[in-house]
Amino acid sequence: MKTIVILSGGVDSTVILWECLTSGLPTKAISFDYGQRHRKELDAARTVAGMAGVEHKVASLTEWGDLMRNTALAADGLSVPHGHYEDPLQKTTVVPNRNMVFLAVAASWAMATGYERVAIGAHLGDRAIYPDCREEFLDAMTKALSLADHRQVAIWRPFVAVPKSEVVRRGKEIGAPLDLTWTCYEGGDEPCGQCGACVERVEAEGVTA
């Protein structure tokens, strides 16, 4: 199926992109600039997409992002919490309704260009903190998209019931350029190693080492 990958520049979406490439599927990628403090993920997305040789768009949602100033990922006055994703403090990293917006925009591009599905890198570890990464939300969004236009677009979420360690294992297996990806939620030049995203990645890589 012709697929548009929502490419954050992180591990999960990069592995999905490489899954499409190894399957020989016609593939494009889309990333979103919503004023996130970890803008380095957009640089990573551009690098990964360039290496993949796929068409890549970076959609500007900065004005929408200005409305999301109650999230630690976009608000200068909020600190990114450190620790594991299971800590309730990690809820400050939720960007309200983010995946609904991302999926809607990506699906619009798919509908306009004759693509058949949108891929998102939600995985099992996201479930504890991010409601819009859960399968029940993605099922509902799929239904909503089926009612939104006469052109049908599916949502592909191959890792929604899979732990991060399995995503990393699969990425290594198919040769995805995990070393080019960016995970950290802090806005620094190097990964902090302490935010929830970093902690989860270190744990996953440790399992697959």
Side-chain angles (χ1 to χ4, degrees):
M1 298 178 73
K2 294 188 287 186
T3 304
I4 292 177
V5 177
I6 296 177
L7 183 65
S8 69
V11 168
D12 315 304
S13 58
T14 295
V15 175
I16 288 180
L17 179 60
W18 246 251
E19 288 276 15
C20 292
L21 294 179
T22 57
S23 299
L25 300 172
T27 304
K28 300 191 290 191
I30 187 168
S31 305
F32 296 96
D33 180 354
Y34 58 95
Q36 60 267 53
R37 71 169 71 210
H38 53 303
R39 298 182 61 78
K40 201 165 180 180
E41 69 173 6
L42 295 175
D43 295 332
R46 292 184 182 97
T47 300
V48 168
M51 184 174 179
V54 300
E55 181 180 358
H56 177 225
K57 300 290 188 182
V58 177
S60 176
L61 296 176
T62 53
E63 292 194 8
W64 171 77
D66 285 341
L67 304 176
M68 303 296 116
R69 293 306 173 186
N70 63 338
T71 171
L73 298 195
D76 293 334
L78 290 177
S79 298
V80 174
H82 291 171
H84 200 277
Y85 266 163
E86 294 180 359
D87 186 333
L89 286 176
Q90 296 293 330
K91 289 182 179 179
T92 63
T93 64
V94 173
V95 180
N97 213 28
R98 178 174 61 179
N99 280 346
M100 180 175 278
V101 173
F102 288 3
L103 287 164
V105 174
S108 294
W109 190 25
M111 292 169 183
T113 56
Y115 272 58
E116 301 157 297
R117 66 179 179 180
V118 171
I120 186 169
H123 63 85
L124 186 62
D126 293 327
R127 184 177 179 86
I129 298 298
Y130 304 112
D132 59 359
C133 289
R134 297 171 185 169
E135 190 147 24
E136 48 267 46
F137 166 77
L138 297 171
D139 286 342
M141 190 65 183
T142 298
K143 177 64 174 177
L145 289 176
S146 75
L147 299 173
D149 196 274
H150 62 274
R151 292 158 291 195
Q152 298 297 292
V153 173
I155 298 175
W156 187 40
R157 62 284 195 159
F159 301 137
V160 73
V162 170
K164 183 90 168 188
S165 57
E166 178 62 21
V167 180
V168 171
R169 185 202 64 77
R170 179 59 179 161
K172 291 178 178 178
E173 184 177 85
I174 61 177
L178 303 185
D179 58 314
L180 300 180
T181 63
W182 182 261
T183 297
C184 184
Y185 282 160
E186 295 279 9
D189 292 330
E190 300 294 332
C192 73
Q194 300 180 77
C195 69
C198 279
V199 169
E200 184 190 50
R201 177 167 181 165
V202 169
E203 288 181 349
E205 290 177 338
V207 170
T208 60

